[in-house]
Amino acid sequence: MNFSIVSERIDLDELRKAALAQTSGAFVMFEGWVRNHHDGRDVLRLEYEVYTPIALREAEVIIQEAHEQFGPIHAVGSHREGVLEIGEIAVAVAVSSAHRDEAFRAGRYIIDEVKHRLPIWKKEYFCDGSIEWVNCRRCAAHGQLGDSSEHHGMGEGGAAR
């Protein structure tokens, strides 16, 4: 597996090691951190809920698509589930390739597609005491996981719980 869902801290050293190869001359890592604000509101912490079997399967499809689009790459990633505090890493993607352009482009493609296509829901706990499921608006608007879920074999059923 090239992608994992973890409940503990993402091990960036392990991701880096898994992405490196002797054929590679470039390495790119993206880290998505929990920040203390969203849409002008102060955030206390986040909670991620993941439908793991589909998330892992779709992440592998995304990484394979990156291979097809950007040539020989070595790519891995990980996403957290559960409660995360400000400053913790929520998602990380590591990519190596022969050249920097492919590494940058593949890394960007993978993180953008992971954020759009994986069945991961984010609950934000705001400092004013309110709680909101942020990503569910998009799911509810489409009645499924997103615009492209039918195309990628995910079908219906990804609506917010």
Side-chain angles (χ1 to χ4, degrees):
M1 300 265 322
N2 295 306
F3 201 89
S4 62
I5 304 296
V6 297
S7 57
E8 300 297 324
R9 183 183 70 82
I10 294 173
D11 189 334
L12 298 176
D13 289 334
E14 286 301 315
L15 283 181
R16 181 183 178 91
K17 288 176 192 172
L20 294 180
Q22 290 185 350
T23 57
S24 296
F27 174 79
V28 172
M29 183 176 292
F30 171 83
E31 299 173 16
W33 303 335
V34 177
R35 64 180 182 269
N36 68 354
H37 64 91
H38 179 79
D39 285 342
R41 298 170 68 189
D42 292 333
V43 173
L44 187 60
R45 67 182 166 278
L46 300 180
E47 183 176 353
Y48 287 98
E49 188 172 314
V50 182
Y51 185 50
T52 302
I54 291 178
L56 293 175
R57 185 177 71 213
E58 189 66 8
E60 294 297 327
V61 169
I62 291 166
I63 291 171
Q64 181 58 40
E65 290 169 356
H67 281 277
E68 293 166 5
Q69 290 183 42
F70 305 107
I73 62 166
H74 302 276
V76 294
S78 188
H79 201 295
R80 287 281 305 272
E81 65 179 349
V83 176
L84 283 77
E85 302 299 328
I86 303 303
E88 289 191 88
I89 297 172
V91 60
V93 172
V95 179
S96 71
S97 66
H99 304 285
R100 68 181 175 273
D101 186 51
E102 290 84 358
F104 277 115
R105 290 173 49 213
R108 176 67 184 254
Y109 177 82
I110 292 166
I111 190 59
D112 286 351
E113 293 300 308
V114 161
K115 295 294 285 181
H116 182 72
R117 290 165 42 185
L118 268 56
I120 299 174
W121 295 270
K122 178 172 64 173
K123 185 191 292 188
E124 289 189 315
Y125 293 82
F126 294 98
C127 292
D128 65 8
S130 61
I131 300 170
E132 189 174 314
W133 286 98
V134 179
N135 293 9
C136 293
R137 289 187 213 116
R138 176 180 52 99
C139 296
H142 296 287
Q144 55 191 29
L145 290 171
D147 294 317
S148 63
S149 62
E150 278 290 324
H151 172 70
H152 298 287
M154 294 176 70
E156 307 258 339
R161 308 171 243 180

